[in-house]
Amino acid sequence: MTSPGEAVDFRPTHIVPQEGLAAWETPDMSRPTVPLDEFLPVQLLSQRGEWGEILCANGWSAWVDGRMLVAVPKPPPTGGRPLTRTEDPRPLLERCAGELERYRRAVADLAEGRSDAESFRRGVRGLRAGVVVDGESVWLYDETSRRWMYGDGSRLMTFAVVAGPGAPPTPEAPRREPDTAEEADVRDAPYERTRVVDLPGAEDG
């Protein structure tokens, strides 16, 4: 992090989202610093995974969740150009469609008896897809960057992130298969099973 002072040749590349943005002295969640105001212009200096090093007009720099920065629109180039991978919604749409198709095939195999429950669980283990379509608007979950993207048919932008920058993926708890049918009944019961006990003096009453 650098101290405030007029930045030399400051050229904003992004702005802070309207909710503001948390900031850190280094790419380390344990060293927070002053948060950034909403709509503040910043210059993205470097990236380290999900972390982004930014520079403000007054020379102050910090590290932020680079996924949340909103890119400043650039003037359209002469002659046009194809959309880049980060702007084009098609690659993420195709990946989500592939995950959904894989799940659909696994469900069909289970329903038609071509696989059992254990094979079904193995076949869909690790699958993650999220798609919400509402007219021209679409929300897609990007598993690689652990964030929800919003699109209007022409380009995508970050809508929300699942975890802070640099956070490791949440490990899935291993599933323990019940040893007996009785154990399965106890596990699935919405309440604790009633236990019958002998009370002192009950035989004399």
Side-chain angles (χ1 to χ4, degrees), residues 107-193:
V107 169
D109 289 343
L110 180 64
E112 296 173 15
R114 292 191 294 268
S115 68
D116 55 19
E118 180 58 30
S119 298
F120 171 75
R121 282 193 292 270
R122 287 199 305 268
V124 299
R125 186 171 299 153
L127 274 181
R128 284 186 177 86
V131 181
V132 178
V133 178
D134 183 11
E136 66 181 15
S137 300
V138 64
W139 290 262
L140 303 172
Y141 180 64
D142 186 354
E143 170 65 14
T144 58
S145 59
R146 292 172 295 171
R147 58 179 171 172
W148 280 91
M149 307 290 291
Y150 169 77
D152 59 2
S154 61
R155 59 184 301 173
L156 292 174
M157 61 195 76
T158 300
F159 179 75
V161 296
V162 176
T170 303
E172 295 183 3
R175 179 184 176 90
R176 176 184 175 273
E177 293 298 326
D179 297 329
T180 65
E182 183 178 358
E183 285 188 20
D185 291 341
V186 172
R187 183 197 65 199
D188 297 334
Y191 49 83
E192 184 179 358
R193 173 169 289 188

Side-chain angles (χ1 to χ4, degrees), residues 96-116:
C96 288
E99 298 284 87
L100 186 60
E101 174 60 19
R102 181 177 161 190
Y103 187 85
R104 186 199 66 78
R105 289 197 304 266
V107 169
D109 289 343
L110 180 64
E112 296 173 15
R114 292 191 294 268
S115 68
D116 55 19

Side-chain angles (χ1 to χ4, degrees), residues 2 7-8 10 41-45 53-62:
T2 61
V8 179
F10 174 76
V42 298
Q43 182 178 350
L44 183 62
L45 300 177
E53 183 185 16
I54 57 94
L55 175 69
C56 299
N58 64 356
W60 186 76
S61 68

Side-chain angles (χ1 to χ4, degrees), residues 59-79:
W60 186 76
S61 68
W63 290 84
V64 300
D65 188 340
R67 298 170 295 178
M68 297 301 294
L69 293 173
V70 180
V72 174
K74 298 179 181 179
T78 57

